[in-house]
């Protein structure tokens, strides 16, 4: 796989994120920890150890460019430096299997909106026999846990789910790429994943989003109303 175009695109993304943050009054100490890419053998070893889970193409390509990532930034708040944003993804060694209780998994958004019950077809019966495989995607996420979910029977097209402090799992994104975009749009603010839970965003997170990502806050509010009205 030719990673040069993807590497150029990733570099452009970080340049854009940095430029956006640097233009915000009071933002300081933007730190991006560059990492070497994971080797093809490391990815192959992970997939062998965690069979039948196979890394999706977008995540595999990302890890080959940068084995995990971390970008942090702080705010000069009333004369003191306040760490505020952290965009973090685990390296492949830390993408460990997470044991889950399937009864704690919430419905998909489409099931909430339509009110359709989960069907008892052959695929559903198969899911009852085979476990969902979950792997830790961000060990630094605050007040919860973020995982890549591989669903039976074929374990293809993994999704990103978030477990809140009540230990309930909530759907966040259909793919790694979709999650990556959401993380950037929320500028890595702590607890932004709660926008996709029953509880919703806490007042402090809403306050910072109103300042740094007002358009995203409006979309999060619309999403929450759609699912809970």
């Amino acid at each position: 796989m030719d990673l040069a175009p993807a590497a150029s695109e990733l570099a452009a993304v970080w340049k854009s994120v940095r430029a956006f943050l640097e233009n915000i009054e009071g933002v300081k100490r933007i730190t991006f920890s560059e990492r070497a890419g994971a080797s093809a053998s490391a990815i192959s070893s992970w997939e062998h150890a965690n069979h039948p889970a196979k890394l999706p193409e977008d995540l595999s390509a990302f890890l080959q460019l940068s084995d995990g990532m971390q970008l942090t930034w702080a705010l000069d708040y009333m004369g003191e430096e306040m760490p505020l944003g952290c965009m973090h993804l685990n390296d492949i060694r830390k993408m460990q299997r997470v044991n889950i209780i399937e009864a704690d998994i919430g419905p998909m958004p489409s099931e909430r909106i339509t009110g359709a019950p989960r069907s008892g077809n052959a695929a559903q019966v198969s899911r009852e026999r085979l476990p969902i495989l979950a792997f830790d995607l961000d060990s630094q996420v605050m007040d919860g846990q973020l995982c890549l979910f591989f669903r039976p029977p074929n374990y293809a097209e993994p999704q990103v789910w978030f477990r809140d402090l009540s230990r309930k799992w909530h759907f966040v994104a259909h793919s790694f790429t979709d999650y990556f975009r959401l993380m950037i749009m929320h500028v890595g603010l702590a607890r932004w994943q709660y926008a996709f839970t029953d509880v919703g965003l806490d007042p402090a997170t809403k306050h910072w989003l109103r300042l740094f990502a007002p358009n995203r806050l409006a979309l999060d509010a619309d999403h929450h109303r759609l699912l809970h009205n």
Side-chain angles (χ1 to χ4, degrees):
M1 180 188 296
D2 182 7
L3 297 176
S8 177
E9 183 177 346
L10 184 62
V13 167
W14 294 132
K15 183 178 180 180
S16 176
V17 171
R18 179 180 287 273
F20 172 77
L21 291 172
E22 287 175 343
N23 285 329
I24 298 175
E25 183 178 358
V27 169
K28 59 191 301 185
R29 201 166 55 81
I30 303 169
T31 304
F32 177 58
S33 302
E34 292 193 34
R35 303 183 185 182
S39 65
S41 62
I43 290 174
S44 178
S45 295
W46 187 94
E47 292 179 338
H48 178 74
N50 295 294
H51 180 80
K54 181 178 174 62
L55 293 176
E57 288 186 6
D58 54 357
L59 179 53
S60 178
F62 178 87
L63 291 170
Q64 290 179 70
L65 293 171
S66 178
D67 190 9
M69 60 149 286
Q70 179 166 297
L71 184 150
T72 60
W73 57 277
L75 184 70
D76 185 356
Y77 186 69
M78 299 181 67
E80 296 186 6
E81 185 176 294
M82 174 191 296
L84 202 58
C86 179
M87 304 181 203
H88 176 268
L89 294 166
N90 284 343
D91 60 55
I92 197 164
R93 292 180 304 104
K94 292 181 180 178
M95 287 181 58
Q96 299 293 319
R97 175 84 180 270
V98 174
N99 293 322
I100 62 173
I101 299 173
E102 296 197 26
D104 294 337
I105 299 174
M108 291 287 291
S110 58
E111 295 169 336
R112 283 183 180 274
I113 294 170
T114 63
R118 300 185 183 187
S119 64
N121 57 25
Q124 183 65 28
V125 172
S126 176
R127 291 190 187 101
E128 292 173 359
R129 290 197 300 266
L130 297 171
I132 291 175
L133 302 181
F135 298 90
D136 194 354
L137 197 56
D138 179 1
S139 56
Q140 293 189 22
V141 70
M142 290 190 67
D143 293 339
Q145 189 165 30
L146 189 81
C147 283
L148 200 62
F149 270 28
F150 293 80
R151 291 178 174 271
N154 55 12
Y155 294 99
E157 300 180 351
Q159 303 165 338
V160 179
W161 288 67
F162 175 71
R163 179 165 65 180
D164 63 20
L165 290 178
S166 73
R167 304 192 68 79
K168 182 177 179 181
W169 288 97
H170 304 270
F171 172 83
V172 177
H174 284 286
S175 67
F176 167 74
T177 297
D178 288 349
Y179 177 78
F180 189 78
R181 289 170 178 156
L182 285 169
M183 178 177 64
I184 290 175
M185 286 189 285
H186 289 89
V187 292
L189 288 167
R191 304 178 190 85
W192 69 262
Q193 295 88 353
Y194 272 84
F196 298 87
T197 69
D198 296 337
V199 175
L201 295 166
D202 63 80
T205 304
K206 285 182 180 179
H207 169 74
W208 296 122
L209 279 172
R210 193 170 290 112
L211 288 176
F212 302 122
N215 291 338
R216 185 62 237 183
L217 176 61
L219 289 173
D220 288 342
D222 289 343
H223 173 79
H224 199 266
R225 280 194 296 269
L226 181 64
L227 294 185
H228 296 91
N229 283 349

